[in-house]
Amino acid sequence: NAGVTQTPKFQVLKTGQSMTLQCAQDMNHEYMSWYRQDPGMGLRLIHYSVGAGITDQGEVPNGYNVSRSTTEDFPLRLLSAAPSQTSVYFCASSTQAGRIGNTIYFGEGSWLTVV
Amino acid sequence: GQQLNQSPQSMFIQEGEDVSMNCTSSSIFNTWLWYKQDPGEGPVLLIALYKAGELTSNGRLTAQFGITRKDSFLNISASIPSDVGIYFCAGQLPGTDKLIFGTGTRLQVFP
């Protein structure tokens, strides 16, 4: 989990509330992404970014917004939280999008519960 | 969403036994990655495979990238209690850093 920092670690939200999960990396990585992990499932890609100012949707983008104003930060926003968004969220980064041999580093996760 | 078929779903083995798990996909991948996740932590990379047919070892772990580029396996030899955790395979889609994950294999090791 070298260099990828996620906050908060735990959060409880009420339905309809908004919040932002923060992700920062200090490795000057171009590529950053957000995944969610649900019980009994692998990680699923929400949004990703190949560089500052560029973002794109992953497999499960609905209900989430992202922005990439700097290389270091890639926040994930929930505009109106729903119970279906209860999950563990992981941020990941790597040196360069698409290059074979990249190591993709994950943060330690953010546990989100929506009641 | 797309996910890889990973098996077995869970394994309960005795310390010292060997373990084998695999992933299959209908898609071709450029890279196969194997991660281990401990409770309350993010996935940690164990082995990365970059070429079809490649066989790579990392200590007691050995993984292979299938010839068809649609499958991979991971073997753990002489298991120890600290091997306990969830193991995920992940395929990297060509030209991107997008990872498609398997559903995980939960490993429990009994002394």
Side-chain angles (χ1 to χ4, degrees):
Chain A
N1 298 337
V4 180
T5 304
Q6 287 182 235
T7 56
K9 182 94 172 176
F10 300 98
Q11 182 73 49
V12 179
L13 284 179
K14 292 183 179 178
T15 297
Q17 283 186 317
S18 62
M19 80 155 297
T20 299
L21 298 177
Q22 303 290 346
C23 177
Q25 50 89 12
D26 59 3
M27 298 173 282
N28 202 32
H29 283 174
E30 289 185 9
Y31 185 89
M32 297 184 74
S33 54
W34 277 100
Y35 291 83
R36 61 177 287 172
Q37 184 178 31
D38 299 301
M41 301 184 75
L43 285 77
R44 291 181 294 167
L45 182 64
I46 304 172
H47 284 285
Y48 66 98
S49 168
V50 299
I54 306 169
T55 63
D56 207 344
Q57 296 181 346
E59 299 174 72
V60 288
N62 293 341
Y64 306 96
N65 281 352
V66 292
S67 60
R68 185 91 179 272
S69 56
T70 67
T71 300
E72 294 77 20
D73 301 299
F74 190 45
L76 179 72
R77 297 186 189 85
L78 286 71
L79 296 179
S80 179
S84 62
Q85 293 178 304
T86 295
S87 189
V88 184
Y89 292 84
F90 289 97
C91 179
S93 76
S94 62
T95 53
Q96 187 176 345
R99 191 180 72 178
I100 293 178
N102 269 343
T103 296
I104 298 171
Y105 296 94
F106 283 87
E108 294 189 340
S110 297
W111 272 252
L112 177 65
T113 301
V114 183
V115 297
Chain B
Q2 183 182 2
Q3 288 204 303
L4 301 176
N5 298 314
Q6 185 172 349
S7 64
Q9 213 170 34
S10 59
M11 303 183 75
F12 300 86
I13 63 169
Q14 204 151 23
E15 185 177 357
E17 289 184 358
D18 298 342
V19 170
S20 185
M21 58 192 81
N22 68 82
C23 274
T24 60
S25 170
S26 57
S27 302
I28 289 174
F29 293 110
N30 274 359
T31 300
W32 280 93
L33 305 168
W34 284 93
Y35 287 87
K36 179 178 183 244
Q37 186 177 26
D38 293 323
E41 303 288 336
V44 174
L45 183 66
L46 298 174
I47 291 181
L49 302 159
Y50 304 116
K51 283 170 42 177
E54 180 181 355
L55 184 72
T56 296
S57 294
N58 178 9
R60 294 178 295 106
L61 278 61
T62 302
Q64 185 159 29
F65 193 145
I67 292 290
T68 65
R69 296 168 64 191
K70 293 182 178 180
D71 64 311
S72 178
F73 73 75
L74 174 71
N75 288 341
I76 306 173
S77 62
S79 58
I80 60 178
S82 62
D83 290 334
V84 167
I86 303 176
Y87 292 79
F88 290 100
C89 63
Q92 186 171 347
L93 292 173
T96 77
D97 269 319
K98 287 186 180 181
L99 295 180
I100 306 297
F101 278 82
T103 48
T105 295
R106 185 180 295 271
L107 178 64
Q108 188 66 255
V109 179
F110 295 102

